[in-house]
């Protein structure tokens, strides 16, 4: 699918990610950094969802199976399904969308092999929003830095959040530190990801992201940094948002 008029999809990035094929699920391939990052992303999303949707009439417990049951969740830019599958295993009714046909085919096939029921669609977030669809939770993780118009994309994401729902975003901060680590270090020295995966000028500061979200009526929470520990070779959450960070926002429920 080529981006349509009005879409915020970056055509060059779409083609790049659509060519990944089975690399999405190769734990030692170019998607290895995302696989390593996934436990942090999933833990953050799970814990915040449970906290937000907790009630006496519908208790949720992260130590039990299916803590996200009966909640609809949309993963925008789902790629091969790296985020969708763990969230489906936690009980969420997951819809994954991506403009890349090959990405969706890979995601569907892998989910079927795992015995998971996930609603994968080759479509644009803008098209889904135009249909009037809304979800309890919307996630755009590692997507914001790949769109052509951040404000327009965030507006679409916010439209897709149901009143009383949550929006999650994860992206890269536009700092000299992020240029050194995410571009020079990750792409050229360590070769964690293919060269040209990211464009520093498309990185988004936490203030810019928060402003775009709040302009659409949602309430943002303090961003949470994610940093890599080279000694332990793993990721951890931190107050340091200079490179990678995640952000949570909530939409007020409609007055009863």
């Amino acid at each position: 699918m080529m981006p349509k008029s009005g879409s915020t999809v970056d055509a060059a990035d779409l083609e790049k990610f659509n060519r990944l094929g089975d690399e999405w699920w190769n734990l030692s391939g170019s998607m290895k950094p995302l696989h390593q990052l996934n436990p942090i992303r999933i833990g953050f999303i799970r814990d915040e969802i449970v906290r937000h949707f907790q009630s006496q009439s519908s208790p949720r417990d992260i130590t039990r199976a299916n803590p996200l049951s009966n909640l609809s969740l949309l993963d925008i830019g789902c790629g091969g399904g790296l985020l969708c599958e763990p969230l489906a295993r936690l009980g969420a009714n997951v819809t994954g969308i991506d403009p890349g046909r090959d990405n969706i085919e890979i995601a569907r096939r892998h989910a079927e092999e795992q015995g998971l029921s996930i609603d994968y669609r080759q479509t644009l977030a803008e098209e889904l929003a135009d249909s009037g669809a809304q979800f309890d939770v919307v996630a755009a993780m590692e997507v914001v830095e790949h769109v052509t118009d951040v404000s327009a994309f965030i507006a679409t994401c916010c439209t897709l959040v149901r009143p009383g729902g949550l929006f999650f975003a994860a992206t890269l901060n536009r700092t000299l530190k992020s240029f050194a680590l995410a571009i020079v270090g990750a792409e050229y020295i360590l070769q964690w990801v293919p060269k040209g995966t990211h464009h520093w000028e498309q990185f988004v500061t936490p203030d810019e992201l928060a402003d775009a979200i709040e302009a659409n009526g949602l309430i943002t929470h303090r961003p949470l940094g994610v940093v890599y520990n080279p000694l332990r070779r793993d990721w951890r959450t931190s107050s340091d948002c200079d490179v990678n960070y995640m952000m949570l926002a909530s939409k007020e429920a409609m007055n009863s």
Side-chain angles (χ1 to χ4, degrees):
M1 173 186 287
M2 289 300 295
K4 298 181 180 180
S5 177
S7 166
T8 56
V9 172
D10 186 309
D13 277 357
L14 169 58
E15 178 60 25
K16 188 187 320 171
F17 285 104
N18 203 37
R19 289 197 303 263
L20 284 171
D22 290 325
E23 274 293 290
W24 281 106
W25 291 100
N26 180 359
L27 300 183
S28 301
S30 58
M31 289 294 104
K32 181 179 178 180
L34 272 185
H35 284 282
Q36 292 177 323
L37 186 59
N38 234 14
I40 295 293
R41 303 195 301 173
I42 297 300
F44 175 64
I45 292 172
R46 177 202 61 203
D47 292 355
E48 294 297 341
I49 290 176
V50 167
R51 183 178 296 111
H52 180 78
F53 289 99
Q54 189 69 264
S55 69
Q56 291 183 349
S57 61
S58 179
R60 297 179 183 275
D61 186 343
I62 62 173
T63 66
R64 296 181 180 179
N66 302 326
L68 308 187
S69 60
N70 301 316
L71 293 173
S72 59
L73 188 148
L74 173 66
D75 182 19
I76 298 175
C78 65
L82 273 61
L83 197 68
C84 291
E85 291 198 8
L87 292 170
R89 288 192 175 93
L90 290 171
N93 298 317
V94 179
T95 298
I97 65 170
D98 197 283
R101 181 188 61 188
D102 293 346
N103 291 341
I104 290 297
E105 289 179 354
I106 289 291
R108 283 176 178 158
R109 186 175 72 218
H110 196 272
E112 289 173 0
E113 292 171 352
Q114 302 300 310
L116 295 171
S117 178
I118 299 172
D119 181 9
Y120 283 118
R121 308 181 195 179
Q122 184 197 357
T123 189
L124 302 169
E126 292 85 355
E127 292 179 338
L128 196 58
D130 287 343
S131 75
Q134 289 190 315
F135 301 82
D136 296 312
V137 180
V138 174
M141 310 295 279
E142 284 74 45
V143 175
V144 177
E145 69 272 21
H146 296 290
V147 302
T148 58
D149 186 329
V150 172
S151 295
F153 175 71
I154 292 299
T156 298
C157 293
C158 294
T159 298
L160 289 162
V161 180
R162 183 172 294 153
L166 296 177
F167 172 52
F168 291 90
T171 189
L172 288 149
N173 197 352
R174 193 176 62 256
T175 62
L176 291 177
K177 186 175 177 180
S178 71
F179 181 82
L181 296 180
I183 303 292
V184 178
E187 296 186 13
Y188 289 86
I189 298 176
L190 299 174
Q191 297 182 358
W192 280 353
V193 294
K195 296 175 183 177
T197 296
H198 295 109
H199 305 285
W200 183 79
E201 65 275 8
Q202 290 181 258
F203 291 1
V204 182
T205 70
D207 285 345
E208 290 169 345
L209 182 58
D211 287 346
I213 294 171
E214 291 172 358
N216 290 279
L218 275 68
I219 301 168
T220 58
H221 302 248
R222 179 178 298 178
L224 181 65
V226 182
V227 299
Y228 184 73
N229 186 326
L231 297 179
R232 296 177 53 183
R233 296 185 179 181
D234 64 7
W235 295 86
R236 61 180 175 83
T237 57
S238 167
S239 60
D240 182 355
C241 295
D242 288 348
V243 184
N244 296 81
Y245 68 95
M246 302 183 290
M247 186 173 289
L248 166 68
S250 55
K251 179 179 282 191
E252 292 187 1
M254 295 181 67
N255 294 328
S256 56

